[in-house]
Amino acid sequence: MMVEESRLLQVSIFHTIKNNMQKVDFSLLLDSVMAIADEVDSQLRQQVASYVSELKADAVRIRALAPRQIH
């Protein structure tokens, strides 16, 4: 879901640019789009890292609660 939201945001940005090409100053646009894309990617990376960290913590908690098997 996080990846899809990130993709949708970027698609929305590009559609907005496309729909307003006559009004856009391309000498300023590229730097702005690059900065936005970098920020979106950075936030997605942080969200995924947090999600993976929580999954690992949940796995540890589940293992701690599981009854110990005697071999």
Side-chain angles (χ1 to χ4, degrees), residues 6-39:
S6 176
R7 187 190 71 78
L8 289 172
L9 175 59
Q10 291 188 40
V11 167
S12 177
I13 290 167
F14 289 121
H15 278 294
T16 301
I17 292 169
K18 182 180 176 187
N19 292 338
N20 293 283
M21 286 180 65
Q22 298 80 10
K23 303 171 192 171
V24 172
D25 181 351
F26 285 95
S27 65
L28 301 174
L29 178 67
L30 186 56
D31 286 338
S32 297
V33 169
M34 288 171 44
I36 291 168
D38 188 51
E39 183 62 27

Side-chain angles (χ1 to χ4, degrees), residues 44-59:
L44 177 60
R45 191 177 315 110
Q46 290 173 8
Q47 289 175 336
V48 169
S50 178
Y51 178 75
V52 169
S53 178
E54 283 299 314
L55 284 179
K56 289 178 181 179
D58 287 347

